[in-house]
Amino acid sequence: MIYVKNRGIFRSSAAALRGNPLQQPVSRPPTKITCSACTLRDLCMPLGLSKGEMIQLEQLSSVKRAFKRGDFLYRNGTPFTSLYAIRMGFFKTQVLHEDGREQVTGFQMAGEVIGLDAISGDVHPCDAIALEDSEVCELPFAQLETLSRELPVLQRHLHKLMSREIVRDQSVMLLLGSMRAEERLAAFLLNLSERYAARGYSPTAFQLRMTRQEIGSHLGLKLETVSRTFSAFQENGLISVRSKSVELIDLPGLRAFFAQQTL
Amino acid sequence: MIYVKNRGIFRSSAAALRGNPLQQPVSRPPTKITCSACTLRDLCMPLGLSKGEMIQLEQLSSVKRAFKRGDFLYRNGTPFTSLYAIRMGFFKTQVLHEDGREQVTGFQMAGEVIGLDAISGDVHPCDAIALEDSEVCELPFAQLETLSRELPVLQRHLHKLMSREIVRDQSVMLLLGSMRAEERLAAFLLNLSERYAARGYSPTAFQLRMTRQEIGSHLGLKLETVSRTFSAFQENGLISVRSKSVELIDLPGLRAFFAQQTL
DNA sequence: TCGGAAGTTTGATATATGTCAAAAATCGTG
DNA sequence: CACGATTTTTGACATATATCAAACTTCCGA
């Protein structure tokens, strides 16, 4: 099998990377698009729609938006209007504690839908930031709700999306609550690996899109611990790391970290 | 203000507590009930329904079930059919890792709806166990979906329930990922306090329904650390603990744990 | 292409929390 | 009501990860 080459294609200015605090979501001329024509449809929208249902789905006035590295897709406190399906690129979501602490709640890639956490409060409870140049498809939630009253398949899909998010979060809780640094990092790498594989990229060689700091924040570790653990994995022949490039050399070995009983 | 006395009323056998591994959800004769007649409606079902909508809601063939302490409401791997609104009592949900590690993902009390995480996989991904004698209202999910296509208020409510669950899980992630033992425990106590207050119980004096072990599992700590931290709080005049009875003496003091910059 | 900023690695040391163990308290059942 | 089981408390000690610091590498824009 040949994998699409998985490298950062876009680079942007450091200013964009740091993110202009006041800037609105970058609005390159938003393009109207239709789900039925989207190549990612299978990942983010329901499968097996009939022709008639497909036509109904067209009613969704989804708009495509582009973001540069460092741009905010949305910000904590911003009014909630839409969900966003990632068409390409890579995002992180983070919650900030008053006192400055931050927790990266997740990393999202193409085909994933983000913003579900904002439904409950009508305001985004976290930030979503592009970690590389990205494109999202904006899905106005009110329309999504209306439409899903007519399309049970869509309704069911929406419910599954939300529920899946809950399950994912619970597995992160398990990770944070009961795993050691090595296990957390192994879990993290294996998770990335699976998700790349599901998208046709190599499951064993990829570029990390996030810093050690961000990985650490997600895994409840300090960046030094992340770095050290990477190094340790490398010494043990499990992976090969060089800054942002990772190669998973011994997948079974990485998986074995879950067998080890620390209790 | 006078609070309802908040004590465990029911006691049951140790056998029940430990939970018979093979036993099905205890089925005291399930009673058919209606949401409109339920005193907890405001907590678990949408507010402000018109008379007509109320009549529609009656279509939900919800059934009341009773559980003894230690009983499983549902089990990891069990087929998903219904959500459960807790009418009274107290539950914990936990995910188990193959290797025996467990993570208590949450504690649920009256008015809360559980089982949302099972929608995505048609199977419950966790266990739900009664921590005291409890009653739930079983809400067949298929009916809930059908009905919510006709009742936008219900649809919206369902979405908010799921989204709220995501937000809650994220705040637990923040807790597990970036707080110290004292902060975690303070957050835990304050959270319980608020939830008791919302139900008309005293926000400052209550019985813990869970063991130190379970608290620790939820907070990513060992039971000894939980116990020690309780003792430390007591020495500092923040709380008074005696086994399962807790009194929060200095709420501002407890809240202050979040101001302290550990970074 | 170069220089400065940001990110990464590694070392030495500190510390919060885990581990092991034993006594004390509490709880539920016979 | 008392006994055994479970849970809680406390102590002594171990250890994983954090902290502080400095050198090194990578990246990006001038």
Side-chain angles (χ1 to χ4, degrees):
Chain A
M1 170 146 194
I2 295 173
Y3 297 106
V4 181
K5 213 163 158 207
N6 173 28
R7 309 200 131 263
I9 318 168
F10 297 89
R11 296 291 142 190
S12 61
S13 72
L17 173 59
R18 266 170 254 116
N20 178 339
L22 293 175
Q23 117 196 18
Q24 281 303 95
V26 173
S27 305
R28 326 219 159 290
T31 329
K32 187 156 184 319
I33 50 170
T34 60
C35 294
S36 53
C38 177
T39 51
L40 260 74
R41 191 167 53 79
D42 292 358
L43 274 169
C44 85
M45 279 292 122
L47 296 158
L49 288 174
S50 72
K51 193 149 286 174
E53 289 169 328
M54 201 65 96
I55 290 165
Q56 288 190 275
L57 196 59
E58 303 291 286
Q59 292 169 24
L60 246 195
S61 58
S62 39
V63 162
K64 193 171 78 180
R65 293 203 125 89
F67 292 83
K68 293 209 169 202
R69 181 135 84 114
D71 287 342
F72 282 68
L73 170 52
Y74 50 74
R75 252 168 220 288
N76 187 353
T78 297
F80 166 67
T81 60
S82 306
L83 300 179
Y84 301 91
I86 301 175
R87 289 170 60 88
M88 51 160 288
F90 207 96
F91 286 83
K92 70 167 174 180
T93 48
Q94 58 182 21
V95 294
L96 295 156
H97 200 94
E98 307 82 80
D99 61 16
R101 262 176 292 203
E102 78 176 38
Q103 170 77 24
V104 171
T105 50
F107 298 107
Q108 296 81 21
M109 45 205 275
E112 295 174 338
V113 174
I114 68 180
L116 295 163
D117 52 353
I119 298 168
S120 67
D122 297 320
V123 152
H124 288 284
C126 69
D127 297 322
I129 299 168
L131 293 185
E132 66 179 24
D133 292 16
S134 302
E135 273 177 27
V136 305
C137 170
E138 181 173 348
L139 309 164
F141 186 64
Q143 287 181 38
L144 218 46
E145 272 191 325
T146 309
L147 200 54
S148 81
R149 270 180 252 132
E150 277 142 45
L151 287 176
V153 208
L154 178 61
Q155 181 196 34
R156 167 54 58 106
H157 188 74
L158 199 55
H159 291 161
K160 295 222 173 196
L161 277 182
M162 297 213 239
S163 179
R164 194 165 343 156
E165 182 72 38
I166 297 171
V167 175
R168 235 196 309 265
D169 289 351
Q170 286 176 353
S171 77
V172 175
M173 286 169 53
L174 177 68
L175 178 145
L176 292 171
S178 67
M179 291 187 184
R180 305 172 329 92
E182 287 170 327
E183 303 173 279
R184 294 184 198 189
L185 207 59
F188 170 74
L189 290 172
L190 291 169
N191 175 264
L192 277 185
S193 165
E194 278 171 26
R195 289 156 74 197
Y196 277 126
R199 283 156 183 81
Y201 295 107
S202 166
T204 54
F206 43 85
Q207 296 288 120
L208 297 172
R209 299 289 144 78
M210 68 297 282
T211 65
R212 302 286 188 266
Q213 206 295 95
E214 288 163 334
I215 297 173
S217 167
H218 184 49
L219 302 180
L221 302 169
K222 293 293 158 184
L223 67 94
E224 295 94 331
T225 305
V226 173
S227 177
R228 271 185 243 278
T229 310
F230 272 144
S231 301
F233 280 176
Q234 182 158 246
E235 272 159 40
N236 293 315
L238 291 167
I239 68 172
S240 143
V241 234
R242 173 77 188 274
S243 189
K244 295 238 151 87
S245 317
V246 188
E247 188 176 356
L248 309 188
I249 294 170
D250 181 2
L251 284 177
L254 284 170
R255 291 202 191 93
F257 273 97
F258 303 109
Q260 72 180 210
Q261 293 264 22
T262 312
L263 304 190
Chain B
M1 169 141 195
I2 296 174
Y3 297 105
V4 181
K5 212 163 157 208
N6 173 27
R7 309 199 132 267
I9 317 170
F10 298 88
R11 297 292 141 190
S12 61
S13 73
L17 173 60
R18 265 170 255 117
N20 179 338
L22 292 176
Q23 119 196 15
Q24 280 303 93
V26 173
S27 308
R28 329 220 157 294
T31 330
K32 188 156 184 317
I33 51 171
T34 61
C35 293
S36 53
C38 176
T39 51
L40 260 73
R41 190 168 53 80
D42 293 358
L43 274 170
C44 85
M45 279 291 123
L47 296 158
L49 288 173
S50 73
K51 193 149 287 172
E53 289 170 328
M54 200 66 95
I55 289 165
Q56 288 190 275
L57 197 58
E58 303 291 285
Q59 293 168 22
L60 247 194
S61 58
S62 38
V63 163
K64 194 171 76 179
R65 294 204 125 87
F67 293 83
K68 293 208 172 206
R69 180 135 83 114
D71 287 342
F72 282 68
L73 170 51
Y74 50 75
R75 255 168 219 284
N76 187 353
T78 296
F80 166 67
T81 60
S82 306
L83 301 179
Y84 302 91
I86 301 175
R87 290 169 59 89
M88 51 161 285
F90 208 96
F91 287 82
K92 70 167 175 181
T93 47
Q94 60 182 19
V95 294
L96 295 156
H97 199 94
E98 306 81 80
D99 61 15
R101 264 178 288 205
E102 78 178 37
Q103 171 76 23
V104 171
T105 51
F107 298 108
Q108 296 82 19
M109 47 205 274
E112 296 174 339
V113 174
I114 68 179
L116 295 164
D117 52 353
I119 298 168
S120 68
D122 299 319
V123 154
H124 288 285
C126 68
D127 297 322
I129 299 167
L131 294 184
E132 65 180 26
D133 291 16
S134 304
E135 273 178 30
V136 305
C137 172
E138 181 173 348
L139 309 164
F141 187 64
Q143 287 181 38
L144 218 46
E145 272 191 325
T146 309
L147 199 53
S148 81
R149 269 180 252 134
E150 276 143 44
L151 287 176
V153 209
L154 179 61
Q155 182 196 34
R156 167 55 58 108
H157 188 74
L158 199 54
H159 292 162
K160 295 223 172 196
L161 277 182
M162 297 211 239
S163 179
R164 194 167 338 158
E165 183 73 37
I166 297 171
V167 174
R168 234 196 310 266
D169 290 351
Q170 286 176 353
S171 77
V172 176
M173 285 169 55
L174 178 68
L175 179 146
L176 291 172
S178 67
M179 291 187 183
R180 304 172 328 94
E182 287 170 327
E183 304 174 277
R184 294 183 199 190
L185 206 61
F188 171 73
L189 289 173
L190 291 169
N191 175 265
L192 277 186
S193 164
E194 279 170 26
R195 288 157 74 197
Y196 277 127
R199 283 156 183 81
Y201 295 106
S202 166
T204 54
F206 43 85
Q207 297 286 121
L208 297 171
R209 299 287 145 77
M210 68 296 282
T211 66
R212 302 286 188 265
Q213 207 294 103
E214 288 162 335
I215 296 173
S217 166
H218 184 49
L219 302 179
L221 302 169
K222 292 292 157 184
L223 66 94
E224 294 94 330
T225 305
V226 173
S227 177
R228 271 185 243 277
T229 309
F230 271 144
S231 301
F233 280 176
Q234 181 158 248
E235 272 158 38
N236 293 315
L238 292 168
I239 68 173
S240 143
V241 234
R242 173 77 187 274
S243 189
K244 296 237 152 92
S245 317
V246 187
E247 188 175 356
L248 309 188
I249 293 169
D250 182 2
L251 284 177
L254 284 170
R255 292 201 190 94
F257 274 98
F258 302 110
Q260 72 180 209
Q261 293 266 23
T262 314
L263 305 191

